[in-house]
Amino acid sequence: MRLAPAIDPMWELVHGLQAITNGVGGLVFDPWRRKVRLHRPARWRALQTLVPAWGYSPDFLTPVAGTTDLREGFEAVLRTPRTTLRTDLGRLGDETPLPGWARSLASGDPETLRRLVTALGRFHAAHLAPYWGEMRRQVNEELLTQRRTLCAQGIDGLLSGIGGTLRWEPPAIVLVNKRSELDIELGGRGVVLQPSFFAFNDITLMDLPGEPMVLIYPVSHRLGWLDPGAAGARLEDLLSRTRAAMLDCLAGGSCTTSELAKRLDISQASSSEQTKILREAGLIISDRDGRRVVHTASELGLTLLSQGA
């Protein structure tokens, strides 16, 4: 059993596309849906063909290895083997009619795959990126809470606290309100817990042969997340935008200097300088691991994030 390191942008894309029309979480998501509808929602109809409001969505859209980087997720989609595309789209076609271009996608046509990734990128830029800081913050807070629960109460406390449609009956994880009954024997493959911002009151399972089962569950949402003047903005006033984003990243788990540079799209030298400032302020802890330096948010840094400075 392990916790995902941070928010997974590919799962947020899939759940975000579903949330446009599935109507769940009205109080949390309706203001966002209204914004989507103001900006030509028909643009996303082709994507919603692949990602229906309910039911199965192709597994290749959410690579089983998981990712915290959107570009890496898109690259993984572009590398999807033809056999996987054929299998996933065949399963989707058993549940819903597919347009003609889906045949080109199923055959692995590179241009069709590129167009799909371009459309996903545009959807993310239009409707997720403006709120990504707050989405990431809420997922990071969930992961931080679960890490503390795991340390203090073990697996029993961790799984018992997820709630919703999940019930922990050792040694079984039981999902209620599912339309089918199925027993999954993991055989030592393990489980990855991935909290998702756009999931709501439901658990999604990704179970592929030979891979750890991924269990995606919703965070405890805060209202007003569309407001850009939330805690993160106030934190930026105190720390600068780059250092606030860096501390936010480290709240989700330890990172090396080069990993932070990649995630924040800054130079290695700038990443090293910013971590030095945060370390001297007591907001992060840095440890050397061979040639690498690994950074972790300190208790003071986590408190600063939670209070929104």
Side-chain angles (χ1 to χ4, degrees):
M1 179 76 66
R2 65 184 176 88
L3 289 163
I7 191 170
D8 187 320
M10 301 307 291
W11 277 110
E12 300 305 337
L13 273 169
V14 166
H15 285 144
L17 284 163
Q18 291 175 326
I20 293 175
T21 54
N22 64 17
V24 301
L27 198 59
V28 175
F29 295 133
D30 275 353
W32 175 79
R33 289 188 186 102
R34 286 193 289 271
K35 285 180 176 286
V36 174
R37 290 170 189 144
L38 286 173
H39 292 85
R40 295 168 51 210
R43 295 170 64 195
W44 316 121
R45 213 158 276 158
L47 292 178
Q48 290 177 291
T49 301
L50 289 186
V51 185
W54 302 104
Y56 175 75
S57 295
D59 292 326
F60 74 86
L61 293 176
T62 49
V64 69
T67 182
T68 59
D69 184 272
L70 185 64
R71 285 173 294 184
E72 288 179 359
F74 287 164
E75 289 166 4
V77 170
L78 290 171
R79 293 194 303 267
T80 305
R82 291 183 183 182
T83 52
T84 301
L85 292 169
R86 221 171 16 245
T87 299
D88 288 1
L89 290 168
R91 179 177 172 185
L92 180 64
D94 290 338
E95 298 185 9
T96 185
L98 295 179
W101 58 263
R103 286 194 293 272
S104 296
L105 187 60
S107 70
D109 176 61
E111 182 57 32
T112 306
L113 260 175
R114 280 193 291 271
R115 285 200 299 268
L116 170 61
V117 166
T118 297
L120 288 169
R122 287 173 176 166
F123 177 79
H124 185 280
H127 301 304
L128 300 188
Y131 319 109
W132 193 251
E134 181 60 22
M135 291 167 59
R136 182 175 58 193
R137 187 172 293 109
Q138 292 195 33
V139 171
N140 282 346
E141 287 176 1
E142 170 66 21
L143 286 167
L144 179 62
T145 298
Q146 297 293 30
R147 289 188 187 100
R148 288 171 173 166
T149 300
L150 183 61
C151 289
Q153 303 176 35
I155 294 294
D156 286 343
L158 176 66
L159 291 175
S160 298
I162 289 178
T165 59
L166 182 147
R167 191 168 65 243
W168 174 230
E169 298 179 1
I173 296 173
V174 179
L175 302 181
V176 297
N177 298 328
K178 291 294 180 182
R179 288 177 290 179
S180 59
E181 292 188 9
L182 177 68
D183 290 333
I184 300 174
E185 296 288 344
L186 293 178
R189 289 181 293 139
V191 177
V192 179
L193 298 178
Q194 174 68 64
S196 169
F197 182 83
F198 270 105
F200 191 88
N201 197 34
D202 197 12
I203 304 289
T204 301
L205 290 182
M206 188 174 188
D207 183 45
L208 300 180
E211 300 286 353
M213 185 176 75
V214 185
L215 190 153
I216 304 93
Y217 70 97
V219 300
S220 299
H221 295 91
R222 289 198 302 269
L223 300 180
W225 60 277
L226 291 178
D227 178 11
R234 297 194 298 274
L235 189 60
E236 288 171 8
D237 291 340
L238 179 65
L239 291 180
S240 86
R241 181 182 298 273
T242 300
R243 289 193 288 277
M246 188 171 281
L247 187 58
D248 197 17
C249 280
L250 292 174
S254 300
C255 290
T256 64
T257 306
S258 57
E259 287 170 340
L260 285 169
K262 184 177 180 181
R263 290 190 187 185
L264 300 177
D265 197 23
I266 59 177
S267 69
Q268 180 87 4
S270 177
S271 180
S272 180
E273 177 64 22
Q274 301 301 334
T275 54
K276 178 184 177 183
I277 294 171
L278 289 172
R279 182 171 58 253
E280 290 176 349
L283 300 178
I284 68 170
I285 299 167
S286 302
D287 297 299
R288 184 164 291 280
D289 180 15
R291 294 184 176 183
R292 307 184 312 160
V293 178
V294 180
H295 309 284
T296 307
S298 69
E299 285 297 322
L300 177 60
L302 294 172
T303 300
L304 185 63
L305 278 173
S306 66
Q307 297 299 319

